[in-house]
Amino acid sequence: MNIPTDKITRWIRPEIRALSAYHVPDPGDCIKLDAMENPYTWPEWLIEAWLETLREVSLNRYPDPGARQLKERLRACMQVPADMEILLGNGSDELIQMIALAVARPGRVVLAPEPSFVMYRMIATLVGMDYVGVPLDGEFQLDMAAMGTAIEAHQPAVIFLAYPNNPTGNLFRADDIEAILKTAPGLVVVDEAYAPFTDASFLARLRHYDNLLVLRTVSKMGLAGLRLGLLIGAPGWLGEIDKTRLPYNINVLTQASGEFALRHVEVLEEQARMIRTDRAALLAALEELPGLEVFPSDANFILFRVPAGRGQELFDALKERRVLIKNLSGAGGVLADCLRVTVGKPEENEAFLRALRAAL
Ligand SMILES: *Cc1c(COP(=O)(O)O)cnc(C)c1O
């Protein structure tokens, strides 16, 4: 059926029509190094034990709306301060949306440095808020003068700071984030999606700043398929944000599997350790290649700049050789000629390096 364009333009909001849908490329039979996934599966004994656990799940019943057991596991595994509350989302993406829904009003602003995680802008638009992106400086650090001016001018309801930042991989200076916490009129959400790959965190600072919330996810630590994120902060804020949550947003399979996986969190922690070691090796190998600028990373991916104007060509050449990474070169600005590779298994990283050497 063909829907007449005028009907669509009459009813679908213009800001939605202007969006392009979040695009996820089909990996085909490529080695998948594009999405910051943990490349490792579980040992056989763990899979068997997990399947046993799933036998007990009652699919005919609604899940525990508060997911209490899962929350307690997360609290212990992530060292959540005892006086802080936890709110769960269907991925941290849903929590970003819940935060935005709780503060949304026409004319209100979501602010984030750029480049950063694309969902901050997308969700601001979805909930009818204005979005202000403040360019990072040449070192991918916060431009504090520009941030100060933008905060003063726009009085943002929420500032999102990814720590480490995606897609650049670096940590912003903690002093800069603290300065923003002190001047921001509204909420400051420190998004720690890559916490398994860095020693830095703002969790311990929650009790020092009454406008700070910390966002975590189990996706990058090896459970991306579960869709489970958590927001950590003072009960006063989280009690309000919780009202935007649809009931039963964390399904029974996610609750049971998440709880099970966190009972064996040492397996995931060991995988994260391997990824951190392999990140150093991959970084060193990339630095050996002629003509590349390689950026240090506290995450499970590495951003690198290829010779001017060759981003698309090299991305395509890698794909031709069955290696899928992320092409950011089209974004321009500080990301001009940049590609991003997720740290995979050693043999996947080798295949990527071989393909890149051949293509260069
Ligand atoms: C991947 C990513 C997320 C999304 O995590 P989900 O829990 O899978 O929704 C959030 N923030 C940043 C910065 C990310 O890179």
Side-chain angles (χ1 to χ4, degrees), residues 35-36 89-94 96 116-117 119-120 162-166 191-194 215-220 224 227-230 301 340:
M36 283 81 95
N90 185 352
S92 48
D93 291 345
E94 190 189 34
I96 296 168
S116 191
F117 188 45
M119 292 310 288
Y120 306 145
Y163 184 76
N165 189 38
N166 170 13
D191 180 348
E192 300 188 340
Y194 298 97
L215 193 58
R216 292 277 183 101
T217 176
V218 302
S219 293
K220 312 292 160 49
R227 308 307 301 131
L228 179 65
L230 56 157
F301 59 85
R340 184 190 70 196

Side-chain angles (χ1 to χ4, degrees), residues 147-307:
M147 287 294 282
T149 308
I151 291 169
E152 177 66 28
H154 300 287
Q155 298 287 303
V158 195
I159 300 172
F160 285 103
L161 299 171
Y163 184 76
N165 189 38
N166 170 13
T168 56
N170 63 308
L171 292 163
F172 300 138
R173 281 181 289 264
D175 290 352
D176 288 350
I177 297 180
E178 296 209 48
I180 288 170
L181 280 160
K182 285 175 187 142
T183 54
L187 289 165
V188 178
V189 179
V190 175
D191 180 348
E192 300 188 340
Y194 298 97
F197 313 105
T198 180
D199 299 326
S201 171
F202 266 66
L203 267 187
R205 292 187 183 82
L206 276 169
R207 58 172 64 96
H208 302 305
Y209 297 99
D210 67 4
N211 55 346
L212 171 62
L213 300 176
V214 173
L215 193 58
R216 292 277 183 101
T217 176
V218 302
S219 293
K220 312 292 160 49
M221 70 190 272
L223 301 168
L226 279 188
R227 308 307 301 131
L228 179 65
L230 56 157
L231 182 66
I232 305 162
W237 289 120
L238 268 59
E240 296 302 324
I241 296 167
D242 187 41
K243 296 175 189 172
T244 68
R245 185 172 62 91
L246 295 176
Y248 313 118
N249 63 328
I250 312 298
N251 71 70
V252 286
L253 294 174
T254 295
Q255 289 194 30
S257 302
E259 223 222 305
F260 173 85
L262 294 173
R263 237 181 303 158
H264 300 280
V265 73
E266 67 283 351
V267 174
L268 299 175
E269 286 169 349
E270 175 57 26
Q271 294 174 345
R273 265 193 298 276
M274 289 196 282
I275 291 167
R276 284 171 79 151
T277 306
D278 294 338
R279 171 181 71 197
L282 181 56
L283 194 104
L286 278 170
E287 280 176 338
E288 294 290 304
L289 298 186
L292 298 191
E293 185 180 3
V294 189
F295 300 101
S297 170
D298 270 83
N300 63 341
F301 59 85
I302 295 172
L303 185 78
F304 59 100
R305 179 170 287 126
V306 300

